[in-house]
Amino acid sequence: MTKKGLASFLDAPLARTLWNRRTKRVSRGSNVVAGSLSWQSQNERSSLSPLQEAILIAATGASGMTMPDRPLFDDESGDPIMSKPNLVMEGRTAGSPDNAQGTHFFMINDSGTYFLRRLDPMEGGTDNWTPEVLLDRAEQAKVRILDRRIDVPGDMRDFPAYLDSNRFLSNTPGSTIFFPVVDLSYQYINALMYLLTQPDKARPVIVDDRNFYQPAGVKKWIKSGFLNPDIKIPLGALGQMRTQIEADLLVQNLFLVTEALGLGGWIHAAISPPVIMGDPKFSDRYGKMLSFDYVTPKWRIMDLLRWHTLPIAAAKHLRAHAVGLRHHGEHLIKGKCPPYYPTMSDAVDAVIAGKFGPGGIYKDKALFERIYKGDFGDKYLDEAGEYEQDVINCARDICTYIHKVHGRFPAHCEAIHAPGVWLQTHRVENEYYDTFFENGLTATQRAHDQNWSS
């Protein structure tokens, strides 16, 4: 019954899908109050099929293996360079700095609110896609967080929960929504170390722009000559280490999948991240929502100058940030920072262990046999450079400084970042678009019902 729809999706041409991509906000069964352009739907609400959701879930996950196609040595000096920056080797449908893959997705529909686990990539990729395989993997990925569509009460569907007119068409019955969050903490540590692998005289001094541009725990590394005081980078300029970009790319890919399925898609402002994630600044009013773990740094007198905060009740949670997510005792997202680790030194050690420890990815020969032909995987593991101990120790000092001085890690961005957008996908109110717009529907959207019901 659904094989025709899957086949039409797999045969969808990229160029046509890309050029036809347009926002379609009005889902099947929705009314629009817009003066002369008002619309009263005659249709029932209609959800996505399980297979359509399974295809979208697959698009958020691993899609195969990456290739370490980088040089191992400096082409002028011949010196070894650090050439094992990746945090994982499984690739996704969008790129990621150092393949950090910090983006996690929640899926929201009429049956509940789900966290999506990332599964190992399927052997053979789309060649092995069948309805049965996709549906089975979707069930493996889904962790039901709530037995309902997450939302705020109807009389609270205004700012700061929803933004302006979004509240009328966003998160509607029948729609399926994908909400991304990004664990920045893991790659923050990894990227600091990668930054410190620059050649002699090219390693920057990290300074703290929230503490009068003082060295961020690296004075001894300046004195030893390991860091070059003529090159300074503020922690604020490092920001999110670009790790947040991967979520934007993945959401765009999901939109293209939506288009190729003949569905309507809409990237727009989500329920405000502090509201939906359960920030203590908003939980009294809206409840815990997704129930992320939050850390609120203890106020210290220097915070007056560093963060312009006061020791008053109204400012108590101003610097609170999400650090992870637990469900029924299981860590679904675990930031590389306290309280999950006793110290930041322990968190750095966990990052190193995940890469180079006994169970680390760069000790897994079988993994690289899946990537390379013959014995090239063994050669790569033997010859490619790793982090030197000075690099690890310097990064450890920076991370320890950040947590000690500012009471949280990271301090200049969140441990768990939400871009503040989500993708809503739904069956389209075809008659609305046919009534008001030239070329309102694509051929794929017109053929949707026939493809997915026969």
Side-chain angles (χ1 to χ4, degrees):
M1 174 172 125
T2 53
K3 289 184 178 180
K4 183 176 180 181
L6 176 59
S8 68
F9 166 74
L10 291 173
D11 289 341
L14 173 61
R16 188 177 303 162
T17 300
L18 186 63
W19 257 256
N20 284 343
R21 187 220 60 81
R22 292 293 182 273
T23 293
K24 299 279 177 32
R25 295 176 179 83
V26 182
S27 59
R28 190 164 298 179
S30 290
N31 302 324
V32 180
V33 180
S36 300
L37 304 178
S38 293
W39 178 259
Q40 186 74 29
S41 177
Q42 303 300 310
N43 296 314
E44 298 290 329
R45 295 286 187 183
S46 183
S47 302
L48 273 63
S49 75
L51 181 56
Q52 289 174 328
E53 286 190 343
I55 293 169
L56 287 157
I57 290 170
T60 71
S63 56
M65 305 303 295
T66 59
M67 293 173 286
D69 52 351
R70 62 180 70 245
L72 309 185
F73 302 93
D74 187 302
D75 61 357
E76 293 184 357
S77 69
D79 293 335
I81 58 177
M82 214 302 290
S83 40
K84 293 177 179 174
N86 281 19
L87 284 174
V88 297
M89 297 310 299
E90 294 82 9
R92 290 170 93 175
T93 59
S96 169
D98 298 337
N99 206 37
Q101 301 299 353
T103 302
H104 303 272
F105 278 96
F106 294 86
M107 187 182 78
I108 304 161
N109 62 22
D110 290 340
S111 68
T113 300
Y114 302 86
F115 175 83
L116 299 180
R117 301 183 192 275
R118 291 204 300 271
L119 307 179
D120 291 337
M122 273 194 302
E123 295 295 334
T126 56
D127 290 342
N128 290 334
W129 276 23
T130 65
E132 294 76 19
V133 167
L134 288 165
L135 289 167
D136 178 65
R137 286 179 63 85
E139 287 306 309
Q140 292 179 51
K142 286 159 45 176
V143 179
R144 199 179 198 185
I145 303 295
L146 298 171
D147 61 0
R148 56 181 172 78
R149 176 185 294 273
I150 195 168
D151 207 346
V152 299
D155 60 352
M156 299 173 72
R157 267 192 161 227
D158 51 13
F159 193 81
Y162 284 90
L163 184 64
D164 195 42
S165 63
N166 287 359
R167 67 186 187 273
F168 300 106
L169 294 171
S170 183
N171 204 9
T172 52
S175 67
T176 297
I177 288 177
F178 290 86
F179 174 67
V181 300
V182 189
D183 176 4
L184 301 179
S185 63
Y186 202 167
Q187 173 61 0
Y188 198 98
I189 295 170
N190 188 58
L192 274 178
M193 288 189 283
Y194 195 32
L195 189 60
L196 296 171
T197 64
Q198 305 310 303
D200 288 342
K201 306 300 182 183
R203 299 185 199 100
V205 171
I206 308 300
V207 298
D208 187 356
D209 44 329
R210 286 286 186 169
N211 193 23
F212 312 106
Y213 290 87
Q214 294 296 304
V218 295
K219 287 182 180 179
K220 76 175 185 180
W221 298 100
I222 300 171
K223 186 176 180 180
S224 71
F226 182 72
L227 302 180
N228 184 350
D230 294 329
I231 307 174
K232 295 183 174 68
I233 300 181
L235 285 167
L238 290 175
Q240 299 167 327
M241 302 289 190
R242 300 174 184 154
T243 310
Q244 82 285 357
I245 294 172
E246 66 182 46
D248 302 332
L249 299 175
L250 285 163
V251 169
Q252 170 67 359
N253 283 354
L254 281 172
F255 200 162
L256 294 177
V257 172
T258 294
E259 188 71 45
L261 288 169
L263 297 166
W266 181 23
I267 298 173
H268 61 287
I271 293 177
S272 178
V275 173
I276 195 172
M277 294 170 72
D279 190 313
K281 290 187 287 294
F282 294 92
S283 58
D284 285 350
R285 180 178 178 187
Y286 295 100
K288 292 291 289 182
M289 302 292 275
L290 290 175
S291 297
F292 273 79
D293 291 338
Y294 271 78
V295 164
T296 299
K298 182 179 178 181
W299 187 87
R300 288 171 285 191
I301 192 166
M302 286 299 292
D303 288 345
L304 280 168
L305 299 174
R306 291 172 180 151
W307 298 99
H308 313 297
T309 57
L310 295 169
I312 57 176
K316 180 180 178 182
H317 294 297
L318 278 179
R319 296 185 57 233
H321 73 143
V323 295
L325 178 69
R326 290 176 289 178
H327 182 65
H328 293 165
E330 178 187 2
H331 284 282
L332 299 176
I333 305 175
K334 184 180 180 181
K336 289 292 187 288
C337 57
Y340 302 136
Y341 297 87
T343 67
M344 281 309 304
S345 182
D346 295 301
V348 173
D349 289 345
V351 174
I352 296 298
K355 297 182 72 171
F356 307 118
I361 62 170
Y362 293 105
K363 301 301 180 184
D364 186 352
K365 290 191 175 185
L367 176 65
F368 288 86
E369 288 174 357
R370 297 169 58 193
I371 297 172
Y372 284 99
K373 294 181 177 180
D375 64 350
F376 288 123
D378 288 340
K379 294 182 184 298
Y380 167 77
L381 291 174
D382 290 341
E383 298 175 19
E386 301 179 358
Y387 293 126
E388 296 179 355
Q389 194 60 46
D390 278 352
V391 168
I392 297 170
N393 291 341
C394 185
R396 184 183 285 118
D397 287 347
I398 295 169
C399 295
T400 298
Y401 163 89
I402 292 171
H403 191 264
K404 180 180 179 181
V405 170
H406 297 290
R408 52 174 265 186
F409 180 88
H412 299 65
C413 64
E414 312 94 330
I416 309 297
H417 166 71
V421 298
W422 58 20
L423 170 77
Q424 176 169 309
T425 180
H426 48 241
R427 296 177 187 261
V428 177
E429 178 78 357
N430 288 17
E431 298 87 345
Y432 168 80
Y433 288 96
D434 267 342
T435 298
F436 291 110
F437 298 98
E438 295 286 348
N439 304 312
L441 295 170
T442 66
T444 307
Q445 287 163 347
R446 290 189 187 281
H448 172 273
D449 290 357
Q450 180 181 357
N451 286 338
W452 287 95
S453 63
S454 60

